[in-house]
Amino acid sequence: MTSQTLRDLAIALVMVPLAGSALLIDTAVQAEDSPATMTAPAPHVARTVADGTTENVEAAASEIPAVDIRGADQEQTSRIEKALDRFDEAGLDLPPLIIEIHDSEESCDGHGGLFVPSSDVSRVELCSPETFILLHELGHAWESISMTDPEREAFVELAELPSWDDRSTAWKDRGREVVANTIATGLAYRELSGPDLRQFETQLSVYEVLTGAASPRIVE
């Protein structure tokens, strides 16, 4: 982030503290299946479907990293690919990923989802069908390659949070989780205007500072 970006972030964070009320999850969007409104090259996806076979989807651009979807049926695969398209359309890069569907939260450390970073191929474990959780875990993946340690430290300081990822700190007070929630909120599918837009105004402002672009949810 540039010094101007940090100043913009500070201004956005002053509007409403991120911890607490600004971490509202947009539950209205979790079950929605609205079509994407923008077009962009789809990532190369190697899908390992429920019967164990692998189906390759050709990349529109060879430089886009591979995503290996495992254990998903056709509906689940479609949901994941739609979320990946959302990141593509917003210009948010993701690292090479294995995304695996599980039947129990045990595979996600008791949560609905889990992101496991790696210098090689990172993993997203999904134990919940909720769209917001999928976008949240992909938000972690985006942050893992898009933010530097000094930027993370600056975010924690400006947001007045106790830590970036101290597990002794409440989930909602960790900078890492605030950023993932901000990205998920900014990319959720339901368009916002009027009172709905004002409800998420702070998070969408921070989303723009983090990504350099306005949220696609904002209706002009």
Short mmCIF file of all heavy atoms in Angstrom, two decimals, residues 5 14 21 25 31 39-40 58 62 75 92 97 101 108 112 131 153 159 168 179-180 194 198 208 211 213:
data_model
loop_
_atom_site.label_atom_id
_atom_site.label_comp_id
_atom_site.label_asym_id
_atom_site.label_seq_id
_atom_site.Cartn_x
_atom_site.Cartn_y
_atom_site.Cartn_z
N THR A 5 -2.71 5.37 0.16
CA THR A 5 -3.64 4.29 0.44
C THR A 5 -3.85 4.14 1.94
O THR A 5 -4.98 3.95 2.41
CB THR A 5 -3.12 2.96 -0.14
OG1 THR A 5 -3.03 3.09 -1.56
CG2 THR A 5 -4.06 1.81 0.18
N VAL A 14 -12.04 5.40 10.36
CA VAL A 14 -12.54 6.36 11.33
C VAL A 14 -14.07 6.42 11.28
O VAL A 14 -14.72 6.69 12.29
CB VAL A 14 -11.94 7.75 11.07
CG1 VAL A 14 -12.73 8.83 11.80
CG2 VAL A 14 -10.49 7.77 11.54
N SER A 21 -19.66 -4.03 15.07
CA SER A 21 -20.78 -3.79 14.17
C SER A 21 -20.39 -3.86 12.71
O SER A 21 -21.20 -4.27 11.87
CB SER A 21 -21.40 -2.42 14.46
OG SER A 21 -20.45 -1.40 14.24
N ILE A 25 -22.29 -9.99 8.95
CA ILE A 25 -22.27 -10.88 7.78
C ILE A 25 -23.53 -10.65 6.98
O ILE A 25 -24.63 -10.59 7.53
CB ILE A 25 -22.16 -12.35 8.22
CG1 ILE A 25 -20.78 -12.60 8.85
CG2 ILE A 25 -22.40 -13.29 7.06
CD1 ILE A 25 -20.60 -14.00 9.36
N ALA A 31 -27.71 -17.58 0.35
CA ALA A 31 -28.40 -18.58 -0.44
C ALA A 31 -28.75 -18.09 -1.84
O ALA A 31 -29.42 -18.77 -2.58
CB ALA A 31 -29.67 -19.02 0.28
N THR A 39 -17.80 -9.89 -17.10
CA THR A 39 -17.16 -11.02 -17.75
C THR A 39 -15.65 -10.87 -17.65
O THR A 39 -15.11 -9.79 -17.68
CB THR A 39 -17.54 -11.09 -19.24
OG1 THR A 39 -17.16 -9.87 -19.89
CG2 THR A 39 -19.03 -11.31 -19.41
N ALA A 40 -14.98 -12.03 -17.50
CA ALA A 40 -13.53 -12.07 -17.44
C ALA A 40 -13.10 -13.49 -17.73
O ALA A 40 -13.89 -14.42 -17.63
CB ALA A 40 -13.05 -11.64 -16.06
N GLU A 58 -10.25 -25.95 -19.77
CA GLU A 58 -9.15 -25.19 -20.37
C GLU A 58 -9.15 -23.75 -19.90
O GLU A 58 -10.20 -23.12 -19.75
CB GLU A 58 -9.26 -25.24 -21.89
CG GLU A 58 -8.98 -26.62 -22.47
CD GLU A 58 -7.59 -27.11 -22.13
OE1 GLU A 58 -6.66 -26.29 -22.09
OE2 GLU A 58 -7.43 -28.31 -21.88
N SER A 62 -3.27 -18.67 -19.94
CA SER A 62 -2.44 -19.69 -19.33
C SER A 62 -1.78 -19.21 -18.04
O SER A 62 -1.37 -20.01 -17.21
CB SER A 62 -1.36 -20.13 -20.32
OG SER A 62 -0.56 -19.02 -20.70
N GLU A 75 -23.41 -29.35 -8.59
CA GLU A 75 -23.94 -28.10 -8.00
C GLU A 75 -22.89 -27.39 -7.18
O GLU A 75 -22.74 -26.15 -7.26
CB GLU A 75 -25.16 -28.41 -7.14
CG GLU A 75 -25.80 -27.18 -6.51
CD GLU A 75 -27.02 -27.52 -5.68
OE1 GLU A 75 -27.48 -28.68 -5.72
OE2 GLU A 75 -27.53 -26.61 -4.98
N LEU A 92 -9.09 -9.59 -8.62
CA LEU A 92 -8.40 -10.01 -7.41
C LEU A 92 -7.72 -11.36 -7.65
O LEU A 92 -8.39 -12.37 -7.86
CB LEU A 92 -9.38 -10.11 -6.23
CG LEU A 92 -10.18 -8.85 -5.91
CD1 LEU A 92 -10.98 -9.05 -4.63
CD2 LEU A 92 -9.28 -7.63 -5.79
N LEU A 97 -4.68 -23.17 -5.86
CA LEU A 97 -5.52 -23.65 -4.76
C LEU A 97 -6.00 -25.08 -4.98
O LEU A 97 -6.29 -25.48 -6.11
CB LEU A 97 -6.76 -22.76 -4.62
CG LEU A 97 -6.60 -21.37 -4.01
CD1 LEU A 97 -7.93 -20.61 -4.12
CD2 LEU A 97 -6.15 -21.45 -2.56
N ILE A 101 -14.37 -30.16 -0.67
CA ILE A 101 -15.65 -30.20 0.04
C ILE A 101 -15.61 -31.34 1.06
O ILE A 101 -15.16 -32.46 0.75
CB ILE A 101 -16.82 -30.43 -0.93
CG1 ILE A 101 -16.92 -29.27 -1.93
CG2 ILE A 101 -18.13 -30.63 -0.18
CD1 ILE A 101 -17.45 -27.99 -1.35
N CYS A 108 -12.56 -28.94 9.09
CA CYS A 108 -12.32 -27.50 9.08
C CYS A 108 -12.06 -26.98 10.49
O CYS A 108 -12.36 -25.82 10.80
CB CYS A 108 -13.52 -26.77 8.47
SG CYS A 108 -13.91 -27.25 6.77
N GLY A 112 -16.94 -23.62 9.60
CA GLY A 112 -17.58 -23.83 8.31
C GLY A 112 -16.60 -23.87 7.16
O GLY A 112 -16.90 -24.39 6.08
N THR A 131 -22.50 -19.50 0.91
CA THR A 131 -21.71 -18.74 -0.06
C THR A 131 -20.76 -17.77 0.62
O THR A 131 -19.62 -17.59 0.20
CB THR A 131 -22.64 -17.99 -1.03
OG1 THR A 131 -23.41 -18.93 -1.76
CG2 THR A 131 -21.83 -17.13 -2.00
N GLU A 153 0.51 -5.09 9.42
CA GLU A 153 0.75 -4.37 10.68
C GLU A 153 0.07 -3.00 10.65
O GLU A 153 -0.53 -2.57 11.65
CB GLU A 153 2.25 -4.21 10.90
CG GLU A 153 2.97 -5.53 11.19
CD GLU A 153 4.48 -5.38 11.17
OE1 GLU A 153 4.95 -4.22 11.04
OE2 GLU A 153 5.19 -6.39 11.30
N ALA A 159 -6.89 0.04 12.22
CA ALA A 159 -8.21 -0.47 12.61
C ALA A 159 -8.35 -0.59 14.12
O ALA A 159 -9.42 -0.94 14.62
CB ALA A 159 -8.46 -1.83 11.96
N SER A 168 -5.33 -16.25 20.64
CA SER A 168 -5.90 -15.96 21.95
C SER A 168 -6.85 -14.76 21.90
O SER A 168 -7.54 -14.45 22.86
CB SER A 168 -4.79 -15.70 22.97
OG SER A 168 -4.08 -14.52 22.65
N VAL A 179 -10.11 -8.60 7.37
CA VAL A 179 -9.83 -8.43 5.94
C VAL A 179 -10.61 -9.45 5.12
O VAL A 179 -11.24 -9.09 4.11
CB VAL A 179 -8.32 -8.56 5.66
CG1 VAL A 179 -8.06 -8.70 4.17
CG2 VAL A 179 -7.57 -7.35 6.21
N ALA A 180 -10.62 -10.72 5.53
CA ALA A 180 -11.35 -11.75 4.77
C ALA A 180 -12.84 -11.44 4.73
O ALA A 180 -13.50 -11.60 3.69
CB ALA A 180 -11.10 -13.13 5.38
N GLY A 194 -29.35 2.46 -1.54
CA GLY A 194 -30.18 3.03 -0.49
C GLY A 194 -29.75 2.60 0.90
O GLY A 194 -28.56 2.52 1.21
N ARG A 198 -25.96 1.80 2.76
CA ARG A 198 -25.46 2.52 3.94
C ARG A 198 -25.08 1.55 5.06
O ARG A 198 -24.15 1.82 5.83
CB ARG A 198 -26.50 3.54 4.42
CG ARG A 198 -26.64 4.75 3.49
CD ARG A 198 -27.46 5.84 4.14
NE ARG A 198 -28.86 5.49 4.26
CZ ARG A 198 -29.76 5.65 3.29
NH1 ARG A 198 -29.39 6.17 2.13
NH2 ARG A 198 -31.02 5.33 3.48
N GLU A 208 -12.55 -1.05 -0.99
CA GLU A 208 -11.98 -0.28 -2.09
C GLU A 208 -10.53 0.11 -1.82
O GLU A 208 -9.68 0.07 -2.72
CB GLU A 208 -12.82 0.97 -2.35
CG GLU A 208 -12.33 1.80 -3.53
CD GLU A 208 -13.29 2.90 -3.94
OE1 GLU A 208 -14.40 2.97 -3.37
OE2 GLU A 208 -12.93 3.68 -4.84
N THR A 211 -8.36 -3.15 -2.19
CA THR A 211 -8.26 -3.74 -3.53
C THR A 211 -7.96 -2.73 -4.62
O THR A 211 -7.55 -3.11 -5.73
CB THR A 211 -9.57 -4.45 -3.90
OG1 THR A 211 -10.63 -3.47 -4.02
CG2 THR A 211 -9.96 -5.48 -2.85
N ALA A 213 -10.25 -0.88 -6.04
CA ALA A 213 -11.43 -0.78 -6.93
C ALA A 213 -12.69 -0.81 -6.08
O ALA A 213 -12.73 -1.40 -5.00
CB ALA A 213 -11.45 -1.92 -7.93
#
